Amino acid sequence: MTKRMSGAEILIDALVQEGVDVMFGYPGGVVIPIFDVLYKNEDRIRFILSRHEQGAAHMADGYARSTGKVGVCLATSGPGATNLTTGIATAYLDSVPMVAITGQVRSSLIGSDAFQEADMVGITRSITKHNYLVDDIRSLPRIIKEAFYIARTGRPGPVLIDLPVDVSAGFLDDYVYPDSVDMRGYKPNVQGHSKQIHKVAEAFAEAQKPVIYAGGGIKLSGAWDELLELAEKTNTPVTATLLALGVFPQDHELFIGMPGMHGTQTANFALTECDLIVSIGARFDDRVTGDVNKFAPQAKIAHIDIDPAAISKIIKVDIPVVGDAKQTLQELIPMVAAREKNGWCHQISEWKKLYNVPFEQGSGSVIKPQYVVQRLSDLCPSDTFVATEVGQNQMWAAQYYTWRFPRQLMTSGGLGTMGYGLPAALGVQAANPGRTVINIAGDGSIQMNSQEWATAFVEKLPVKTFILNNEYLGMVRQWQQLFWERRYSSTCLKETPDCGRTCEKTGKPCDRMYVPDFVKLAEAYNCLGLRCSDPAKIDETIKQALAYDGPVVVEFIVEKEANVYPMVPAGKPINEMLEGDA
């Protein structure tokens, strides 16, 4: 049955039909028609008003990563739309399903430099899986249907719909939402070629030192059970990328940790010494491979990925398999022969005994940031969702938190977006009411989107943020310490113009004022603010935060020059790791 509807009514009806229950955004002049329809449909879609459009995009991202559903964000034209772009790019690099809707000036004004006009199709062409400018209301239902289909299928990613105000305010007499999509130029190949899959099985049979390199594609396709079955049947060690942490049991004897720049020694040595790498849903990121010319020099490489463009893009592979990870593994597992443990497994065990040592706080009076993360992992409920900001806090979280389920971690892996964690955590909380959601942050990164604590309070999203305050932009400072002769250029957050070029307080306690006062800032947003500088009170502080029924900001004053180790210097082979004092 057809209906007469406005463009804005079509949009909201289509979102409901696509299963959207929460969306995030910020209003503006050209999207008032859409917000007017939202006002009348608040029982069908919960709209969460962010305090910045970037925050809205990250909220949609967190919602999508924690549920596997498509996240939706909405902004007005011009600056509202361009403020979404960092969040869209973050989702694009990490293959997150998202539909971003932007308002646009009236069609007749496009190209005239009208007030709040920006060419969003042009701007987002390289950071979206696809984008649309709707120039005819008759095409709007089809475009929305296609946008959701493209966002969630194949290698997921963000799709942008740019909607001129005359389209959203106009009317269509015979609206009906399509039941299906038929796009001649977009047919994702989910079924891997059987002959290629058989070659992978043969490679397993021939290998003496195999490694499975698991990426975010395992999570996206829901292939974690198949991954475990394959690893156990073949007794093959598994390394998981940052975006795949949680897809394999962390306490399993075959798990060897995260690979790459801040990966485990065991994972990096295994990738260097192995004779077979079976990559599943990973893209051989430069942070994983290090020097590509010296990466896995003795290994045959099989690469299973749904995106044909990802195969042999960075590392030339021997056995390409284009297909969905879950479907491909389901076909592969019956083909592989069971393998007994051999000397390779013994070598892996020896490396793990040597290098997988629990972190110790020690008897010092200064809090070690790694220890805080370790205690968070021990004290938070096992089903806690965790978001991180970007920098040292992100890597310590990856290294010292125990990942217990596949969609537990929300972090910006590809783009490395500072300011991601807090709004992403709010999106997770909106999608998962009743669950504990925490954000592990650095004092620099959290300031990029701290305005979203207002959203947390107003929308009753009780996210707990734990800030590791070392008074620096820590990861950049670490690079300056190790590779730039300790010249801390613009990384000290206490620095003022009268500090001078050579700071006598470098790495030592400094009595200059730190701004902001995070406890007062939290209280200004009506959140609970806590501060801890005593190692003996870490557990007590975490428990107090977790027990509070509302958003909490906890500031841990931590060691100023703690570093993330191991570390592979940029451009070096991954088995050449720096292993300084953490």
Side-chain angles (χ1 to χ4, degrees), residues 456-475:
F457 174 74
V458 171
E459 295 287 346
K460 302 186 185 307
L461 300 170
V463 166
K464 322 301 183 192
T465 295
F466 297 93
I467 302 170
L468 308 174
N469 186 350
N470 57 12
E471 303 176 359
Y472 283 111
L473 301 175
M475 187 59 88

Side-chain angles (χ1 to χ4, degrees), residues 304-548:
I304 300 167
D305 203 292
I306 198 165
D307 181 4
I311 293 178
S312 290
K313 182 177 182 180
I314 309 294
I315 297 290
K316 184 173 173 27
V317 306
D318 302 287
I319 310 173
V321 182
V322 179
D324 172 74
K326 188 177 183 75
Q327 292 195 30
T328 302
L329 292 188
Q330 286 175 342
E331 188 169 345
L332 172 63
I333 290 168
M335 293 183 185
V336 296
R339 295 165 51 95
E340 297 297 323
K341 291 179 181 175
N342 60 8
W344 178 237
C345 294
H346 178 70
Q347 174 65 74
I348 294 291
S349 296
E350 291 300 308
W351 280 333
K352 289 179 68 171
K353 287 178 189 172
L354 184 62
Y355 297 115
N356 290 13
V357 181
F359 188 85
E360 297 289 343
Q361 164 65 34
S363 58
S365 60
V366 179
I367 293 176
K368 302 278 191 182
Q370 302 93 326
Y371 186 68
V372 173
V373 174
Q374 205 164 270
R375 294 309 298 153
L376 283 170
S377 180
D378 290 342
L379 295 172
C380 288
S382 60
D383 64 349
T384 295
F385 286 105
V386 182
T388 78
E389 303 289 341
V390 164
Q392 289 181 312
N393 64 86
Q394 179 188 36
M395 290 298 105
W396 285 322
Q399 293 175 330
Y400 294 103
Y401 205 95
T402 300
W403 304 105
R404 298 178 173 91
F405 59 94
R407 296 190 181 278
Q408 185 174 19
L409 172 63
M410 267 54 62
T411 194
S412 173
L415 197 63
T417 305
M418 293 176 70
Y420 169 85
L422 174 59
L426 297 179
V428 175
Q429 189 76 81
N432 301 274
R435 295 277 289 273
T436 300
V437 181
I438 70 169
N439 175 36
I440 298 175
D443 54 310
S445 191
I446 191 64
Q447 294 186 56
M448 292 217 172
N449 270 316
S450 59
Q451 78 282 348
E452 301 303 344
W453 279 320
T455 309
F457 174 74
V458 171
E459 295 287 346
K460 302 186 185 307
L461 300 170
V463 166
K464 322 301 183 192
T465 295
F466 297 93
I467 302 170
L468 308 174
N469 186 350
N470 57 12
E471 303 176 359
Y472 283 111
L473 301 175
M475 187 59 88
V476 182
R477 181 211 56 73
Q478 176 173 334
W479 281 55
Q480 290 172 332
Q481 176 187 346
L482 298 176
F483 310 117
W484 298 87
E485 300 177 344
R486 220 159 179 251
R487 292 189 291 276
Y488 292 171
S489 176
S490 299
T491 46
C492 176
L493 294 177
K494 279 189 169 179
E495 185 178 3
T496 61
D498 59 335
C499 282
R501 282 291 180 191
T502 305
C503 176
E504 296 178 354
K505 299 290 187 183
T506 298
K508 300 176 184 176
C510 171
D511 56 7
R512 290 178 184 274
M513 177 182 287
Y514 185 96
V515 290
D517 181 321
F518 284 113
V519 172
K520 290 181 179 176
L521 186 61
E523 291 170 351
Y525 286 114
N526 222 11
C527 303
L528 175 63
L530 302 171
R531 180 176 292 119
C532 177
S533 57
D534 181 354
K537 295 184 178 179
I538 294 174
D539 284 15
E540 171 187 330
T541 306
I542 293 173
K543 289 177 182 176
Q544 184 181 355
L546 294 175
Y548 184 73

Side-chain angles (χ1 to χ4, degrees), residues 61-126:
D61 178 307
Y63 175 97
R65 293 195 204 219
S66 68
T67 62
K69 298 164 65 177
V70 178
V72 180
C73 55
L74 168 66
T76 192
S77 63
T82 57
N83 280 342
L84 288 180
T85 55
T86 297
I88 294 172
T90 301
Y92 182 72
L93 266 292
D94 289 349
S95 306
V96 177
M98 175 190 293
V99 170
I101 301 158
T102 51
Q104 183 55 276
V105 300
R106 187 170 294 278
S107 299
S108 60
L109 295 177
I110 291 176
S112 68
D113 293 337
F115 177 68
Q116 291 194 331
E117 181 190 2
D119 174 13
M120 289 310 297
V121 168
I123 289 171
T124 61
R125 183 163 290 125
S126 64

